[in-house]
Amino acid sequence: MSATNDQKWKRVWVIGASSGIGRALSEQWAERGVEVIASARSEDALDELDATSGYISALPLDVTDKASIEAAIFKMQDQGCVPDLTLYCAATYHPGGIDVLTVEAARQHMEVNYLGAVGVIAALHPLLKTRGSGEIAIVSSLTSYCGLPLASLYGPTKAALASLCETLRPEFERDGLGLRLINPGFVKTPLTEKNSFKMPFLITPEEAAQRIIRGLEGTGFEIAFPFRMALSLRLLRLLPYRLYFRLMRRMVA
Ligand SMILES: NC(=O)c1ccc[n+]([C@@H]2O[C@H](COP(=O)([O-])OP(=O)(O)OC[C@H]3O[C@@H](n4cnc5c(N)ncnc54)[C@H](OP(=O)(O)O)[C@@H]3O)[C@@H](O)[C@H]2O)c1
């Protein structure tokens, strides 16, 4: 369906749309008359989302499968609906420190959170470059600012995403394209249900989606929220390691 709206985007591809922030974003964009292509693995959840709005269409894929990403992009290209904006928010998360650290678990986190994004960026960039327009927004996390307890599997994947986006942004700009980085704090979703600790500044997926959409309407590279948590972690990153680890030791205890 073609959207008639006054939004910056006519067509958005949300990868990780079956729950949490991705689902809330899909719903809010659809309410604004933006055409949403909703991707994730859970076909039932996507079909249910698809049925909520004429502006949403399901396109199942598994980001750990390069062929699945390429098939999805080929299908969009074939149907003449390459997105104006692609938002990558697929992720997996298992909390823990040294107790959960194995090569297999780290690889699984990297495959979904980081390599999936690499696959999407690598496959989409040539199409967007040829067309001469388009943006990709990658959801990382405030966890990417510094190593935090209980994030031995997840934190490095998010730091890698931040580094990748910082590296590629100038080349995207050179090609007339956009590359944005989104760093949320704690959001109440299936992902954070696994956390047994108190999550400061916790917000709903709907609030997170509002902040992301508002941020994407601007032109800044990074969209980080909530402000107080982003500021606290930025300051933490600036501390000398002696002080930083004194605080971290308290958190671990
Ligand atoms: N919640 C927070 O506090 C928080 C904070 C900072 C950053 N973030 C980031 O925000 C983004 C959204 O997270 P969320 O909290 O909304 O979590 P969520 O509800 O668990 O959503 C994760 C999404 O990723 C999809 N996904 C997982 N593995 C996939 C795969 N192999 N292929 C395709 N899709 C896959 C899931 O769908 P299927 O299982 O159906 O595939 C789901 O749609 C993530 O990047 C997360 O790291 C979240």
Side-chain angles (χ1 to χ4, degrees), residues 16 18-19 21 41-42 62-63 89-91 140 154 158 185 187 189 192:
S18 62
S19 63
I21 300 170
R41 289 166 307 174
S42 313
D62 183 341
V63 298
C89 71
S140 175
Y154 179 80
K158 295 299 182 176
V187 185
T189 67
T192 46

Side-chain angles (χ1 to χ4, degrees), residues 42-159:
S42 313
E43 295 194 23
D44 288 353
L46 292 180
D47 287 344
E48 193 245 312
L49 178 64
D50 186 325
T52 63
S53 167
Y55 284 108
I56 301 177
S57 50
L59 181 59
L61 64 74
D62 183 341
V63 298
T64 65
D65 177 2
K66 187 168 168 256
S68 173
I69 294 173
E70 287 170 354
I73 292 175
F74 180 80
K75 191 170 178 186
M76 288 187 285
Q77 210 183 353
D78 195 44
Q79 294 177 351
C81 54
V82 174
D84 309 311
L85 170 69
T86 297
L87 189 125
Y88 188 89
C89 71
T92 190
Y93 167 60
H94 187 67
I98 189 66
D99 52 325
V100 298
L101 189 69
T102 63
V103 172
E104 293 74 23
R107 183 179 292 127
Q108 191 227 352
H109 278 68
M110 271 294 175
E111 277 179 358
V112 179
N113 301 6
Y114 178 71
L115 293 174
V118 170
V120 169
I121 293 171
L124 262 186
H125 179 264
L127 294 187
L128 303 183
K129 189 176 171 186
T130 303
R131 192 178 64 180
S133 68
E135 290 211 37
I136 301 178
I138 301 292
V139 181
S140 175
S141 164
L142 292 179
T143 317
S144 65
Y145 285 4
C146 47
L148 293 172
L150 300 180
S152 67
L153 297 171
Y154 179 80
T157 68
K158 295 299 182 176

